[in-house]
Amino acid sequence: MEFTRKGAVAPILMLLSLTLLAGCGGGVTPSPSNWYPTNSIYAYMKAVQDESGNVTTTVELRDGPLSTDAYLYLSDGETLYTSLDKPPQQYINFNGNLFGNSLELSQRLKVMSARDLYTDYLLFTRVVFGKPEYFSHDTPSTGASPVRVYVDFERTGNAMAGESTIELPPAFQILAPAGEASVSRATPLALTWTDVDITSTMELDVAGICADGSRYNLNLILGADTGSATLNSADYFPTTGISPSSNCRVAFMLQRVRTAGVSPNFAFGSIKGVQQRTVQFTTTP
């Protein structure tokens, strides 16, 4: 099983929560979005639903397909919108009683906020200044299943770039390892979860804080969703840099992922729909 190691210095829950938000690279000064027509912008989007049921959507705009390409920040007059039940365009075109429906509009149509992945998150190595990311937090309507996420990009002059959308995969729960369990690294670890979805793939982020103060995080691509995976210790514990005799507090963030394309009006990109569940336990030699 392949895995990628990332160095980190942060509390265990922060290590996990930030794994989905940022990667490495990005050494080019960001550019204003109005320098680029939509068909030369690369858009990378992700919508994550966690145990709370809330959905966090993030968008990165770049001038190329690589994380080392220049990131774009929104120019004045340009806005990213998200919504869960119907496309943002339908809200923006709303011509009814705006005052009477303003609460519904504010609850259903979100204007994405901005943050810089360098100034907000000093977690990963090789992160440098200039990685603007846009985000929103949404709560699905009660009983809404499946949840569909929409993103649209309003350009200068009230022109819309065209919706990007994905249906989130079904929710699931981690069965094993159990929360607060003690697991020996000397034997394979069974990771199991509920409700297999053959249309999704599974990914696992691992964060650990050991008794000697050392910290680490790892990422594994588990592949097709089969409801289970057998992990050797090397899959969730570094083979170098940490004493093999250490006891460690470990958190697994298991993600069920679907991927689709963004609006064809962009040069290229992707939108991911993610169900995310977390469990914490202790590992011993």
Side-chain angles (χ1 to χ4, degrees):
M1 184 173 296
E2 296 181 356
F3 67 94
T4 302
R5 184 181 180 191
K6 303 173 184 176
V9 178
I12 191 167
L13 292 179
M14 183 177 292
L15 286 176
L16 272 180
S17 64
L18 300 183
T19 299
L20 291 180
L21 290 177
C24 297
V28 181
T29 302
S31 302
S33 58
N34 63 4
W35 286 6
Y36 301 85
T38 304
N39 63 9
S40 66
I41 294 176
Y42 294 72
Y44 296 91
M45 311 175 182
K46 182 182 292 186
V48 179
Q49 186 173 37
D50 61 18
E51 291 94 334
S52 71
N54 295 327
V55 177
T56 299
T57 304
T58 58
V59 175
E60 295 175 4
L61 303 177
R62 307 177 198 152
D63 70 356
L66 305 177
S67 61
T68 51
D69 291 317
Y71 283 61
L72 310 185
Y73 60 86
L74 296 184
S75 304
D76 290 344
E78 302 205 324
T79 306
L80 282 161
Y81 296 99
T82 62
S83 59
L84 295 184
D85 52 351
K86 57 187 177 183
Q89 181 73 63
Q90 294 188 29
Y91 288 109
I92 294 169
N93 287 340
F94 178 80
N95 58 6
N97 183 342
L98 183 60
F99 181 81
N101 290 275
S102 59
L103 177 60
E104 178 185 4
L105 287 171
S106 66
Q107 290 175 334
R108 303 304 179 193
L109 178 67
K110 302 293 185 180
V111 175
M112 302 191 81
S113 302
R115 59 190 171 202
D116 190 286
L117 294 178
Y118 175 76
T119 57
D120 283 0
Y121 303 107
L122 300 177
L123 172 62
F124 298 105
T125 59
R126 295 190 294 115
V127 175
V128 297
F129 178 75
K131 296 184 67 175
E133 178 184 70
Y134 293 85
F135 69 96
S136 67
H137 302 293
D138 299 270
T139 301
S141 300
T142 302
S145 181
V147 175
R148 178 167 286 277
V149 177
Y150 295 88
V151 179
D152 212 336
F153 181 24
E154 184 177 19
R155 309 302 314 268
T156 302
N158 300 319
M160 303 299 289
E163 69 189 52
S164 302
T165 184
I166 193 163
E167 184 178 287
L168 299 186
F172 68 95
Q173 301 300 324
I174 296 174
L175 296 175
E180 307 306 322
S182 179
V183 174
S184 171
R185 298 189 296 270
T187 58
L189 170 63
L191 172 63
T192 61
W193 57 92
T194 62
D195 304 317
V196 171
D197 177 44
I198 61 173
T199 68
S200 301
T201 58
M202 303 299 292
E203 299 182 14
L204 179 66
D205 285 294
V206 182
I209 298 178
C210 300
D212 62 2
S214 55
R215 307 163 187 242
Y216 67 91
N217 60 7
L218 306 169
N219 174 264
L220 300 87
I221 306 300
L222 300 178
D225 183 356
T226 63
S228 66
T230 300
L231 307 178
N232 295 315
S233 62
D235 295 323
Y236 63 91
F237 184 80
T239 56
T240 61
I242 296 179
S243 171
S245 63
S246 292
N247 292 341
C248 301
R249 180 73 171 171
V250 175
F252 278 4
M253 180 185 285
L254 184 62
Q255 301 143 43
R256 173 175 282 164
V257 183
R258 286 179 179 169
T259 304
V262 294
S263 165
N265 295 324
F266 288 108
F268 188 71
S270 64
I271 180 169
K272 292 185 177 183
V274 180
Q275 287 285 350
Q276 171 184 296
R277 301 295 182 268
T278 305
V279 63
Q280 295 189 51
F281 54 98
T282 300
T283 69
T284 62

